[in-house]
Amino acid sequence: MKNIVKGILAMAVILLASCSSRQSLQEYYVDNSENPNFITVDVPASILKMDAVDLTPTQKEAVESLRKFNLLAFKKNSDNAAEFEVEKNKVREILKGEKFVELMKINSKYGKGVVKYLGDEDAIDEVIIYGDSDDKGFALVRVLGKDMNPAHIIQLMQAIQKSEYKGEGLGEIGEFLKG
């Protein structure tokens, strides 16, 4: 009996030791969903209203691979500047994880950002778009799909530009993203 208990305890210690202490992106979203400094929105891909848009076959394939979007934004103000720096560094640290593959860096007049993905390079399951601005805050967008192709991301952006979508259904986060 003692050997069984010792065996179970040893297995529990090994399991706990093998678990990563690094916070996942999903955990970060959940942990901050109730934080008043954050704006969160989960929306289905159907919100883009792409059915009525004339798409090329490649654009149609890109749109059909989408499932939903998780948006999380930290709206910076004079009262939360210190927390902004802490949260920005947390997100950057999570995105440095080996699971994330960098697709491109963004550097514009609005701020800096990065586009990364999870999955195989020909069958992406999640695209992460992160951008921050020292005066506005940061936004983190998880694009969830099935077997998304990185080569189709540009096609997807062009398809969204063709649509009549103007940010309806995003509420406060839509205003934040517009600037």
Side-chain angles (χ1 to χ4, degrees):
M1 182 68 167
K2 286 182 183 181
N3 288 339
I4 292 174
V5 172
K6 286 180 184 178
I8 291 173
L9 286 175
M11 287 178 59
V13 168
I14 290 170
L15 281 173
L16 288 174
S18 68
C19 291
S20 172
S21 62
R22 175 176 267 180
Q23 187 178 33
S24 74
L25 197 55
Q26 176 65 28
E27 290 168 338
Y28 185 81
Y29 268 81
V30 171
D31 290 349
N32 290 292
S33 63
E34 300 296 322
N35 184 329
N37 289 316
F38 285 89
I39 304 165
T40 59
V41 179
D42 293 328
V43 293
S46 61
I47 197 170
L48 296 176
K49 302 177 185 173
M50 302 299 284
D51 297 337
V53 180
D54 185 28
L55 303 174
T56 68
T58 305
Q59 289 171 334
K60 188 174 277 201
E61 184 181 338
V63 169
E64 288 172 354
S65 69
L66 296 177
R67 297 292 176 250
K68 70 177 184 174
F69 302 92
N70 299 133
L71 298 101
L72 181 72
F74 186 102
K75 193 168 186 178
K76 184 181 176 188
N77 59 43
S78 58
D79 297 331
N80 65 11
E83 186 179 353
F84 165 72
E85 290 299 325
V86 169
E87 295 301 327
K88 178 175 76 169
N89 289 330
K90 279 184 190 178
V91 172
R92 286 182 174 177
E93 193 60 36
I94 291 169
L95 294 178
K96 284 181 185 176
E98 60 193 44
K99 299 185 308 183
F100 297 101
V101 179
E102 188 169 300
L103 202 52
M104 72 175 88
K105 287 187 183 214
I106 303 165
N107 195 2
S108 74
K109 65 180 181 179
Y110 303 109
K112 295 181 180 182
V114 67
V115 178
K116 296 190 172 203
Y117 69 87
L118 290 173
D120 298 327
E121 69 182 50
D122 58 345
I124 296 173
D125 293 321
E126 183 173 339
V127 174
I128 297 94
I129 304 164
Y130 170 78
D132 63 54
S133 164
D134 286 334
D135 56 330
K136 293 202 178 273
F138 68 78
L140 188 59
V141 181
R142 292 175 68 213
V143 181
L144 304 172
K146 182 164 176 52
D147 296 336
M148 294 183 289
N149 184 327
H152 292 169
I153 290 177
I154 301 299
Q155 296 292 324
L156 179 61
M157 300 306 261
Q158 291 171 346
I160 291 170
Q161 288 174 345
K162 279 186 183 180
S163 79
E164 298 294 318
Y165 183 68
K166 303 287 185 236
E168 308 92 325
L170 296 180
E172 190 178 353
I173 204 164
E175 292 301 313
F176 173 77
L177 293 173
K178 287 178 190 173

